[in-house]
Amino acid sequence: MTQDAAAPTDDSGTQPIIGHRKPHKEEKRTVPIPATLEEFADKLEAEIGYKTTFDIVLREMTFGDRRVAFFFYNGFAKDTVLTEVLKRLTYLQAEDYGAASFHDFFRLYVPAIQVVEESDWEKMLTDVLAGGTAMFIEGESKVLLIDAKAFPARNPEEPTLERVVRGARDGFVETMLTNVTLVRRRLRDKQLRYEIIRVGERTQTDVCIAYIDDIVDHEMLEAMRDKIKNLKIDGLPLADKQLEEATVKRGWNPFPLVRYSERPDTVAVHLMEGSIAIFVDTTPSVMLLPTTFFDLLQHAEENRQTPFIGTYLRWVRFIGVAASLFMLPLWFLFTLKPELKPPALDFIGAQKAGRLPMVAQFLIAEVGVDMLRMASIHTPTPLATAMSLIAAILIGDIAVKTGLFVNEVVLYMAVAAIGMFATPSYELGLANRIIRLVLIVAVASFKVEGFVAATTIFFIMLVMERSFNRPYMWPLIPFNLKGMLSILLRVPVLQNRKRPIYLKPQQEDRMPNGGESR
């Protein structure tokens, strides 16, 4: 489905056909369009299962002495547009059809908003598979591709993972044209570019690269474009996640190297900073790249409040993330090595031992929280809340009363779980959980040395990581004072004058000409 961001959609999910993708550097050999209607139908029957697949329609008609056929998939076609085309053709007289050339049909006789000529059989099939309608005219070497699409779609609604108290309530959906239009509505910049590339030998998935032409680093843009164009893969049925794995190639690294967002305003902000946004059809999330560890800790709610309150919320989130990482391992370490505790923290530590070893209690609790999370996802919505309360209260209480767990394990595990869910990036929250598990095992095995060594190794791993050749731990390493202040503080809009330098934007100043807008 080739899409154009400027075209509107209606509530039914209808989308206009769109301009064709740019040709690749190496195009396949052109396959000609058959000359007769019989050959056209036979070729469809042989290649795509016409007369076998029930949703393939070939509507044959004769206007004057011209034999015409409309080829489309029944589930994608918008009958109102095609009906208007047929009405216009039926009003013509026989002598008009006899003298009509292909260009007459193209320019005069087909009343659709977007119609394009196509002489390649393979490209014609691809566009029809993406929802278009092909108009075949016997004796012509080309077909007309008519925009008559009506995709199943839902209306934009607020994303469940990125809710805000104040702010827009619209979010991305599974239809790419709707998504790029939501961003275009917020970014009325003539430099905003949307490039379409089809990926996947079988799925032919539409991938859109979005950027602001006079801000983005073109070297990074070209590298990303080449990665996607040269990708050899059977298909992307799982959309953006498979595209990320195929292009980033991070292997077994648990930390996310791209940021996902389902909010149009968040994507617009990142585009204005110089990032690249990747839209993939059939998914409601957008990839933002490159990203840093600290980008993954940002949330739109902070910018919907005053700078002071936004800074407070940001610090609360930082504390929650830090607690989810280190509170359990440190408490475990103080329990095993009480002499390390300062006098003011004498109350920290297990008051009594459980029947299970402490490390086993931690591991069982971690797996139990993950099981609760997965169970809540697969439980019908009306029952999910009740199930979570029953599992969290009853199971935890019974585990403590029977002596399997100690109270402190349940307490600190709950705090760590809250910190994980307070992490804006779901992928980063899961990665932090893995780090916490490794720290617990390291403390159980080697005490202080294990905690220090494991923490150091993970920090070095983060420092050495790069997201599309950008330092993952910027602005901490390499250290940048202004960048670090913008992370720690929610700076007022008019004082936040510079774009992040790690993105290498063409225009570093957000407000050129002395602070006046362009």
Side-chain angles (χ1 to χ4, degrees):
M1 177 179 59
T2 312
Q3 308 195 21
D4 176 26
T9 60
D10 56 28
D11 293 338
S12 64
T14 302
Q15 303 182 40
I17 206 171
I18 34 222
H20 289 291
R21 62 190 173 96
K22 294 182 179 180
H24 288 207
K25 294 179 181 179
E26 295 183 2
E27 288 288 352
K28 296 181 180 179
R29 181 177 61 86
T30 300
V31 179
I33 303 296
T36 66
L37 183 54
E38 287 76 13
E39 292 176 351
F40 188 84
D42 291 342
K43 196 170 180 64
L44 290 178
E45 186 174 357
E47 293 193 13
I48 65 170
Y50 172 56
K51 296 182 180 178
T52 301
T53 303
F54 79 94
D55 63 338
I56 298 177
V57 178
L58 185 65
R59 178 73 166 91
E60 304 176 18
M61 304 183 73
T62 301
F63 299 104
D65 61 348
R66 308 299 297 270
R67 299 178 68 192
V68 177
F70 291 88
F71 163 46
F72 55 89
Y73 280 80
N74 198 23
F76 289 151
K78 187 177 182 183
D79 54 356
T80 55
V81 176
L82 294 180
T83 301
E84 289 300 319
V85 173
L86 292 177
K87 283 182 181 179
R88 178 70 175 90
L89 293 175
T90 55
Y91 289 153
L92 298 178
Q93 303 298 321
E95 55 270 19
D96 296 326
Y97 290 111
S101 65
F102 183 83
H103 288 287
D104 290 332
F105 281 95
F106 176 57
R107 300 180 184 277
L108 303 175
Y109 301 156
V110 179
I113 295 175
Q114 286 182 300
V115 182
V116 294
E117 302 177 7
E118 185 55 72
S119 58
D120 186 351
W121 172 266
E122 294 296 334
K123 291 182 179 179
M124 181 270 292
L125 285 182
T126 300
D127 273 87
V128 174
L129 284 167
T133 297
M135 179 179 173
F136 171 80
I137 305 170
E138 192 170 56
E140 301 290 346
S141 61
K142 299 179 180 180
V143 296
L144 293 179
L145 294 176
I146 305 171
D147 179 11
K149 298 180 181 178
F151 292 116
R154 61 183 176 92
N155 292 326
E157 55 189 27
E158 186 176 14
T160 57
L161 292 178
E162 297 177 274
R163 293 183 180 274
V164 294
V165 177
R166 301 287 185 195
R169 294 292 187 266
D170 57 345
F172 293 132
V173 296
E174 289 75 17
T175 308
M176 190 171 73
L177 183 57
T178 302
N179 296 341
V180 297
T181 306
L182 287 173
V183 176
R184 176 77 73 176
R185 183 183 178 188
R186 290 167 169 81
L187 258 180
R188 301 175 182 178
D189 191 338
K190 61 184 179 182
Q191 297 292 334
L192 179 59
R193 301 287 185 265
Y194 289 135
E195 295 184 14
I196 285 288
I197 302 173
R198 281 197 176 124
V199 179
E201 187 67 25
R202 294 187 179 276
T203 61
Q204 291 289 307
T205 304
D206 284 325
V207 176
C208 173
I209 305 176
Y211 58 93
I212 298 181
D213 194 45
D214 60 347
I215 297 179
V216 72
D217 176 20
H218 279 268
E219 182 179 349
M220 177 180 65
L221 173 65
E222 188 64 29
M224 190 64 214
R225 184 190 291 127
D226 289 342
K227 278 188 175 183
I228 296 177
K229 284 186 176 181
N230 297 327
L231 184 59
K232 305 298 182 183
I233 192 170
D234 202 30
L236 299 176
L238 298 181
D240 51 0
K241 196 60 185 176
Q242 286 182 313
L243 181 65
E244 178 202 347
E245 291 185 11
T247 53
V248 177
K249 298 178 181 178
R250 64 184 182 185
W252 292 94
N253 178 13
F255 288 97
L257 299 182
V258 301
R259 179 180 179 180
Y260 287 96
S261 179
E262 297 183 29
R263 294 188 62 88
D265 50 2
T266 299
V267 172
V269 168
H270 278 268
L271 287 173
M272 293 178 66
E273 289 184 342
S275 296
I276 298 173
I278 306 295
F279 296 79
V280 183
D281 195 29
T282 72
T283 182
S285 55
V286 172
M287 288 194 299
L288 297 167
L289 54 96
T291 192
T292 67
F293 181 85
F294 298 102
D295 279 341
L296 299 170
L297 298 177
Q298 308 299 313
H299 192 272
E301 180 66 26
E302 300 158 4
N303 297 291
R304 294 288 182 178
Q305 304 296 332
T306 63
F308 184 86
I309 299 301
T311 301
Y312 167 75
L313 294 176
R314 184 171 294 183
W315 272 93
V316 169
R317 183 171 289 109
F318 289 163
I319 292 172
V321 173
S324 72
L325 272 173
F326 298 112
M327 182 172 286
L328 272 174
L330 283 174
W331 180 86
F332 188 27
L333 180 61
F334 288 153
T335 301
L336 296 178
K337 305 281 289 184
E339 63 274 14
L340 297 176
K341 293 185 296 183
L345 299 179
D346 281 340
F347 63 92
I348 292 179
Q351 304 301 318
K352 59 180 180 178
R355 296 184 180 181
L356 294 176
M358 196 72 71
V359 65
Q361 295 181 38
F362 282 126
L363 296 179
I364 293 174
E366 290 279 5
V367 174
V369 171
D370 275 331
M371 291 180 64
L372 281 174
R373 178 180 57 83
M374 289 187 287
S376 64
I377 293 174
H378 302 305
T379 303
T381 304
L383 303 177
T385 303
M387 185 277 299
S388 300
L389 290 173
I390 291 173
I393 297 175
L394 294 183
I395 295 178
D397 184 58
I398 293 172
V400 170
K401 287 183 177 179
T402 56
L404 294 177
F405 281 28
V406 298
N407 287 316
E408 288 86 349
V409 169
V410 177
L411 170 64
Y412 290 113
M413 188 66 243
V415 174
I418 292 173
M420 189 196 77
F421 292 126
T423 307
S425 170
Y426 182 69
E427 291 78 15
L428 180 61
L430 293 178
N432 287 343
R433 166 162 289 182
I434 299 300
I435 301 302
R436 184 170 68 242
L437 284 171
V438 174
L439 289 176
I440 290 172
V441 173
V443 168
S445 303
F446 304 104
K447 310 296 188 295
V448 177
E449 294 80 3
F451 179 81
V452 173
T455 303
T456 304
I457 289 172
F458 280 120
F459 184 74
I460 293 175
M461 183 178 70
L462 289 174
V463 170
M464 296 180 63
E465 193 62 75
R466 300 183 73 81
S467 173
F468 294 89
N469 204 31
R470 300 298 194 271
Y472 193 58
M473 290 300 289
W474 187 92
L476 181 61
I477 297 178
F479 184 74
N480 181 276
L481 179 59
K482 290 184 178 179
M484 201 66 207
L485 288 176
S486 68
I487 294 296
L488 298 176
L489 306 174
R490 210 289 266 170
V491 183
V493 172
L494 294 181
Q495 296 179 18
N496 191 16
R497 306 183 62 87
K498 298 293 184 180
R499 294 186 172 92
I501 61 173
Y502 81 94
L503 293 172
K504 300 181 181 178
Q506 299 177 58
Q507 299 180 19
E508 292 186 4
D509 199 335
R510 298 177 192 265
M511 305 172 192
N513 302 323
E516 296 177 1
S517 59
R518 290 191 292 161

